[in-house]
PDB file of all heavy atoms in Angstrom:
ATOM      1  N   TYR B1078    -127.353  -5.428-108.159  1.00 92.00           N
ATOM      2  CA  TYR B1078    -126.795  -4.094-107.949  1.00 92.00           C
ATOM      3  C   TYR B1078    -125.298  -4.240-107.756  1.00 92.00           C
ATOM      4  O   TYR B1078    -124.797  -5.331-107.475  1.00 92.00           O
ATOM      5  CB  TYR B1078    -127.450  -3.393-106.749  1.00 92.00           C
ATOM      6  CG  TYR B1078    -127.428  -4.181-105.469  1.00 92.00           C
ATOM      7  CD1 TYR B1078    -126.341  -4.118-104.595  1.00 92.00           C
ATOM      8  CD2 TYR B1078    -128.504  -4.984-105.105  1.00 92.00           C
ATOM      9  CE1 TYR B1078    -126.327  -4.840-103.420  1.00 92.00           C
ATOM     10  CE2 TYR B1078    -128.488  -5.705-103.927  1.00 92.00           C
ATOM     11  CZ  TYR B1078    -127.400  -5.626-103.094  1.00 92.00           C
ATOM     12  OH  TYR B1078    -127.393  -6.342-101.925  1.00 92.00           O
ATOM     13  N   LYS B1079    -124.591  -3.148-107.887  1.00 90.00           N
ATOM     14  CA  LYS B1079    -123.136  -3.217-107.826  1.00 90.00           C
ATOM     15  C   LYS B1079    -122.663  -3.501-106.406  1.00 90.00           C
ATOM     16  O   LYS B1079    -123.123  -2.891-105.462  1.00 90.00           O
ATOM     17  CB  LYS B1079    -122.523  -1.890-108.281  1.00 90.00           C
ATOM     18  CG  LYS B1079    -122.338  -1.794-109.774  1.00 90.00           C
ATOM     19  CD  LYS B1079    -121.859  -0.422-110.157  1.00 90.00           C
ATOM     20  CE  LYS B1079    -120.422  -0.221-109.700  1.00 90.00           C
ATOM     21  NZ  LYS B1079    -119.864   1.011-110.307  1.00 90.00           N
ATOM     22  N   LEU B1080    -121.710  -4.415-106.305  1.00 88.00           N
ATOM     23  CA  LEU B1080    -121.121  -4.726-105.009  1.00 88.00           C
ATOM     24  C   LEU B1080    -120.352  -3.522-104.496  1.00 88.00           C
ATOM     25  O   LEU B1080    -120.458  -3.123-103.347  1.00 88.00           O
ATOM     26  CB  LEU B1080    -120.181  -5.906-105.176  1.00 88.00           C
ATOM     27  CG  LEU B1080    -119.554  -6.442-103.922  1.00 88.00           C
ATOM     28  CD1 LEU B1080    -119.891  -7.895-103.849  1.00 88.00           C
ATOM     29  CD2 LEU B1080    -118.067  -6.311-103.976  1.00 88.00           C
ATOM     30  N   LYS B1081    -119.556  -2.930-105.393  1.00 87.00           N
ATOM     31  CA  LYS B1081    -118.807  -1.732-105.023  1.00 87.00           C
ATOM     32  C   LYS B1081    -119.663  -0.544-105.428  1.00 87.00           C
ATOM     33  O   LYS B1081    -119.373   0.130-106.414  1.00 87.00           O
ATOM     34  CB  LYS B1081    -117.482  -1.686-105.765  1.00 87.00           C
ATOM     35  CG  LYS B1081    -116.453  -2.658-105.273  1.00 87.00           C
ATOM     36  CD  LYS B1081    -115.151  -2.458-105.993  1.00 87.00           C
ATOM     37  CE  LYS B1081    -114.020  -2.428-104.996  1.00 87.00           C
ATOM     38  NZ  LYS B1081    -112.729  -2.397-105.602  1.00 87.00           N
ATOM     39  N   ALA B1082    -120.718  -0.308-104.645  1.00 89.00           N
ATOM     40  CA  ALA B1082    -121.634   0.772-104.997  1.00 89.00           C
ATOM     41  C   ALA B1082    -120.887   2.092-105.049  1.00 89.00           C
ATOM     42  O   ALA B1082    -120.114   2.415-104.162  1.00 89.00           O
ATOM     43  CB  ALA B1082    -122.748   0.839-103.959  1.00 89.00           C
ATOM     44  N   ASP B1083    -121.124   2.846-106.116  1.00 90.00           N
ATOM     45  CA  ASP B1083    -120.484   4.150-106.281  1.00 90.00           C
ATOM     46  C   ASP B1083    -121.146   5.137-105.327  1.00 90.00           C
ATOM     47  O   ASP B1083    -122.344   5.403-105.470  1.00 90.00           O
ATOM     48  CB  ASP B1083    -120.674   4.598-107.732  1.00 90.00           C
ATOM     49  CG  ASP B1083    -119.887   5.854-108.047  1.00 90.00           C
ATOM     50  OD1 ASP B1083    -119.671   6.679-107.130  1.00 90.00           O
ATOM     51  OD2 ASP B1083    -119.518   6.007-109.204  1.00 90.00           O
ATOM     52  N   PRO B1084    -120.403   5.664-104.357  1.00 92.00           N
ATOM     53  CA  PRO B1084    -121.043   6.546-103.368  1.00 92.00           C
ATOM     54  C   PRO B1084    -121.760   7.728-104.014  1.00 92.00           C
ATOM     55  O   PRO B1084    -122.809   8.140-103.551  1.00 92.00           O
ATOM     56  CB  PRO B1084    -119.872   7.025-102.507  1.00 92.00           C
ATOM     57  CG  PRO B1084    -118.853   5.975-102.656  1.00 92.00           C
ATOM     58  CD  PRO B1084    -118.993   5.452-104.043  1.00 92.00           C
ATOM     59  N   TYR B1085    -121.202   8.278-105.091  1.00 92.00           N
ATOM     60  CA  TYR B1085    -121.842   9.415-105.758  1.00 92.00           C
ATOM     61  C   TYR B1085    -123.225   9.021-106.256  1.00 92.00           C
ATOM     62  O   TYR B1085    -124.198   9.723-106.042  1.00 92.00           O
ATOM     63  CB  TYR B1085    -120.969   9.861-106.931  1.00 92.00           C
ATOM     64  CG  TYR B1085    -121.529  11.025-107.711  1.00 92.00           C
ATOM     65  CD1 TYR B1085    -121.415  12.319-107.243  1.00 92.00           C
ATOM     66  CD2 TYR B1085    -122.167  10.823-108.935  1.00 92.00           C
ATOM     67  CE1 TYR B1085    -121.927  13.391-107.966  1.00 92.00           C
ATOM     68  CE2 TYR B1085    -122.682  11.882-109.655  1.00 92.00           C
ATOM     69  CZ  TYR B1085    -122.551  13.164-109.171  1.00 92.00           C
ATOM     70  OH  TYR B1085    -123.069  14.213-109.886  1.00 92.00           O
ATOM     71  N   ASP B1086    -123.314   7.852-106.919  1.00 92.00           N
ATOM     72  CA  ASP B1086    -124.595   7.396-107.452  1.00 92.00           C
ATOM     73  C   ASP B1086    -125.545   7.003-106.335  1.00 92.00           C
ATOM     74  O   ASP B1086    -126.721   7.300-106.368  1.00 92.00           O
ATOM     75  CB  ASP B1086    -124.392   6.174-108.358  1.00 92.00           C
ATOM     76  CG  ASP B1086    -123.668   6.537-109.636  1.00 92.00           C
ATOM     77  OD1 ASP B1086    -123.620   7.734-109.982  1.00 92.00           O
ATOM     78  OD2 ASP B1086    -123.144   5.616-110.282  1.00 92.00           O
ATOM     79  N   TYR B1087    -125.029   6.272-105.346  1.00 93.00           N
ATOM     80  CA  TYR B1087    -125.901   5.626-104.382  1.00 93.00           C
ATOM     81  C   TYR B1087    -126.722   6.601-103.566  1.00 93.00           C
ATOM     82  O   TYR B1087    -127.773   6.253-103.038  1.00 93.00           O
ATOM     83  CB  TYR B1087    -125.077   4.729-103.441  1.00 93.00           C
ATOM     84  CG  TYR B1087    -125.925   3.647-102.821  1.00 93.00           C
ATOM     85  CD1 TYR B1087    -126.242   2.500-103.526  1.00 93.00           C
ATOM     86  CD2 TYR B1087    -126.451   3.800-101.547  1.00 93.00           C
ATOM     87  CE1 TYR B1087    -127.036   1.524-102.987  1.00 93.00           C
ATOM     88  CE2 TYR B1087    -127.253   2.821-100.992  1.00 93.00           C
ATOM     89  CZ  TYR B1087    -127.543   1.687-101.724  1.00 93.00           C
ATOM     90  OH  TYR B1087    -128.341   0.728-101.184  1.00 93.00           O
ATOM     91  N   GLU B1088    -126.263   7.849-103.467  1.00 93.00           N
ATOM     92  CA  GLU B1088    -126.996   8.837-102.655  1.00 93.00           C
ATOM     93  C   GLU B1088    -128.434   8.986-103.141  1.00 93.00           C
ATOM     94  O   GLU B1088    -129.318   9.349-102.370  1.00 93.00           O
ATOM     95  CB  GLU B1088    -126.278  10.187-102.697  1.00 93.00           C
ATOM     96  CG  GLU B1088    -126.804  11.163-101.658  1.00 93.00           C
ATOM     97  CD  GLU B1088    -125.897  12.358-101.444  1.00 93.00           C
ATOM     98  OE1 GLU B1088    -125.079  12.643-102.336  1.00 93.00           O
ATOM     99  OE2 GLU B1088    -126.013  12.991-100.389  1.00 93.00           O
ATOM    100  N   MET B1089    -128.690   8.667-104.411  1.00 93.00           N
ATOM    101  CA  MET B1089    -130.043   8.881-104.920  1.00 93.00           C
ATOM    102  C   MET B1089    -131.061   8.003-104.196  1.00 93.00           C
ATOM    103  O   MET B1089    -132.219   8.395-104.053  1.00 93.00           O
ATOM    104  CB  MET B1089    -130.100   8.607-106.423  1.00 93.00           C
ATOM    105  CG  MET B1089    -129.876   7.172-106.816  1.00 93.00           C
ATOM    106  SD  MET B1089    -129.944   7.049-108.616  1.00 93.00           S
ATOM    107  CE  MET B1089    -129.502   5.350-108.858  1.00 93.00           C
ATOM    108  N   TYR B1090    -130.642   6.822-103.739  1.00 93.00           N
ATOM    109  CA  TYR B1090    -131.584   5.958-103.022  1.00 93.00           C
ATOM    110  C   TYR B1090    -131.942   6.580-101.679  1.00 93.00           C
ATOM    111  O   TYR B1090    -133.076   6.511-101.220  1.00 93.00           O
ATOM    112  CB  TYR B1090    -130.997   4.564-102.822  1.00 93.00           C
ATOM    113  CG  TYR B1090    -130.738   3.840-104.129  1.00 93.00           C
ATOM    114  CD1 TYR B1090    -129.464   3.448-104.486  1.00 93.00           C
ATOM    115  CD2 TYR B1090    -131.779   3.556-105.003  1.00 93.00           C
ATOM    116  CE1 TYR B1090    -129.227   2.794-105.673  1.00 93.00           C
ATOM    117  CE2 TYR B1090    -131.547   2.909-106.197  1.00 93.00           C
ATOM    118  CZ  TYR B1090    -130.273   2.530-106.528  1.00 93.00           C
ATOM    119  OH  TYR B1090    -130.025   1.892-107.710  1.00 93.00           O
ATOM    120  N   LEU B1091    -130.945   7.211-101.054  1.00 92.00           N
ATOM    121  CA  LEU B1091    -131.223   7.865 -99.783  1.00 92.00           C
ATOM    122  C   LEU B1091    -132.153   9.058 -99.989  1.00 92.00           C
ATOM    123  O   LEU B1091    -133.063   9.305 -99.207  1.00 92.00           O
ATOM    124  CB  LEU B1091    -129.909   8.319 -99.118  1.00 92.00           C
ATOM    125  CG  LEU B1091    -129.249   7.294 -98.191  1.00 92.00           C
ATOM    126  CD1 LEU B1091    -128.676   6.135 -98.983  1.00 92.00           C
ATOM    127  CD2 LEU B1091    -128.145   7.925 -97.372  1.00 92.00           C
ATOM    128  N   TRP B1092    -131.906   9.806-101.078  1.00 92.00           N
ATOM    129  CA  TRP B1092    -132.803  10.923-101.384  1.00 92.00           C
ATOM    130  C   TRP B1092    -134.231  10.428-101.581  1.00 92.00           C
ATOM    131  O   TRP B1092    -135.186  11.066-101.139  1.00 92.00           O
ATOM    132  CB  TRP B1092    -132.351  11.635-102.663  1.00 92.00           C
ATOM    133  CG  TRP B1092    -131.119  12.452-102.525  1.00 92.00           C
ATOM    134  CD1 TRP B1092    -130.563  12.949-101.391  1.00 92.00           C
ATOM    135  CD2 TRP B1092    -130.283  12.889-103.592  1.00 92.00           C
ATOM    136  NE1 TRP B1092    -129.427  13.655-101.683  1.00 92.00           N
ATOM    137  CE2 TRP B1092    -129.234  13.647-103.031  1.00 92.00           C
ATOM    138  CE3 TRP B1092    -130.319  12.720-104.977  1.00 92.00           C
ATOM    139  CZ2 TRP B1092    -128.233  14.222-103.797  1.00 92.00           C
ATOM    140  CZ3 TRP B1092    -129.317  13.304-105.741  1.00 92.00           C
ATOM    141  CH2 TRP B1092    -128.295  14.042-105.139  1.00 92.00           C
TER     142      TRP B1092
END
Side-chain angles (χ1 to χ4, degrees):
Chain B
Y1078 53 87
K1079 274 175 70 169
L1080 184 124
K1081 287 185 133 173
D1083 188 330
Y1085 180 79
D1086 291 342
Y1087 203 80
E1088 192 166 20
M1089 67 181 175
Y1090 297 119
L1091 270 70
W1092 287 340

